[in-house]
Amino acid sequence: MDVNETLRSRYTCRDFKSTAVPKGTLLEILDSANRAPSWADTQPWEVFVAGGESLERLRKAYLESFAKGAAPHPDIPAPTQWPQALKQRMDELLILHKKEAQTLSGNSDDPQAYLVRQMKFFNAPVVVFICMDRTLGSWSVFDLGFFTQSLLLAAKEKGLDTAPAYRLIAYPDLVRKELGIPVELSLVFGVALGYGMERSDAVGFLSPRRHIRDVARFHGFE
């Protein structure tokens, strides 16, 4: 695998095929991700993988909760404010998200299409839920980020697409009930995984990035 090429070609897939992913393949991906670094080798991640009938029950429960107007209540609250530059990038991406979801749903007038697609886990055949002990703090969340990025790259090497998304953990009580996640664990993040549908200009787009010269500051270099 060319890591640089993988980093540049990976995208957030929001439309998956129903094709099942073999358990052996998932184990190989997770085994590679398990090599991620962590604070003093604490390896704080605890992983729960949902597929088959279990995932379908969870998908149905999410859609029912959303239809009833239940507000997301993740174990780790989402930010309520963003610096202006970051908010602008989010707003620009949201426009692309809505266009993509409306294209996939076939209804260009449905403003909720992108939210419904998220609550359906993008039709993915697998969702990986990543947890950690409730007593841990921000540094361990950082470690879980290492694990998640490693998972995304390992999945890409296997020809699989992924969608790391906040909405996958919108209703942690439902996930905890279905997957038997102990109450002492916080549900931190979710990754939908599978084989993506065919991409086009409107579907499966690569989100833009700032020029690296606007990101990195060098000192002591010519």
Side-chain angles (χ1 to χ4, degrees):
M1 178 182 69
D2 185 315
V3 176
N4 188 55
E5 179 182 348
T6 302
L7 285 167
R8 292 177 180 276
S9 63
R10 195 213 68 80
Y11 72 104
T12 297
C13 179
R14 299 178 184 85
D15 189 27
F16 289 90
K17 299 177 182 178
S18 59
T19 307
V21 181
K23 183 178 179 180
T25 300
L26 294 171
L27 283 170
E28 289 178 5
I29 291 170
L30 292 171
D31 190 42
S32 294
N34 200 40
R35 295 301 308 170
S38 60
W39 182 301
D41 199 31
T42 47
Q43 305 173 49
W45 44 81
E46 300 293 338
V47 182
F48 295 80
V49 185
E53 294 181 2
S54 182
L55 183 58
E56 291 311 311
R57 286 192 295 269
L58 195 51
R59 206 186 314 265
K60 180 181 178 181
Y62 260 55
L63 286 169
E64 289 176 350
S65 292
F66 179 72
K68 293 176 182 177
H73 50 277
D75 286 344
I76 298 180
T80 56
Q81 297 184 61
W82 297 90
Q84 183 56 39
L86 278 63
K87 186 177 185 304
Q88 181 177 340
R89 291 196 284 272
M90 290 174 62
D91 291 343
E92 291 171 353
L93 183 65
L94 182 58
I95 293 173
L96 296 176
H97 279 183
K98 289 184 176 181
K99 288 181 178 178
E100 180 183 55
Q102 289 167 353
T103 298
L104 291 170
S105 69
N107 184 356
S108 60
D109 298 321
D110 185 1
Q112 295 293 305
Y114 81 106
L115 287 176
V116 171
R117 182 157 292 276
Q118 292 181 61
M119 292 302 174
K120 292 171 65 178
F121 308 145
F122 311 110
N123 296 320
V126 177
V127 177
V128 179
F129 294 98
I130 304 166
C131 307
M132 70 177 191
D133 193 282
R134 287 184 181 275
T135 62
L136 298 174
S138 300
W139 284 106
S140 292
V141 173
F142 192 78
D143 292 341
L144 265 62
F146 281 137
F147 179 90
T148 302
Q149 174 73 325
S150 299
L151 187 157
L152 302 183
L153 297 179
K156 185 69 174 176
E157 184 187 28
K158 294 291 186 182
L160 293 163
D161 296 302
T162 51
Y166 156 78
R167 294 281 175 178
L168 301 181
I169 55 167
Y171 304 125
D173 51 333
L174 298 179
V175 181
R176 192 167 276 111
K177 178 181 178 181
E178 176 62 37
L179 304 185
I181 299 176
V183 68
E184 61 266 23
L185 295 181
S186 289
L187 190 61
V188 179
F189 207 54
V191 177
L193 186 151
Y195 300 96
M197 296 290 260
E198 185 175 349
R199 298 168 67 185
S200 66
D201 290 341
V203 177
F205 60 87
L206 283 174
S207 54
R209 291 293 184 272
R210 291 179 288 162
H211 194 286
I212 193 59
R213 294 186 184 278
D214 296 327
V215 175
R217 289 82 168 167
F218 288 83
H219 297 272
F221 294 85
E222 295 184 1

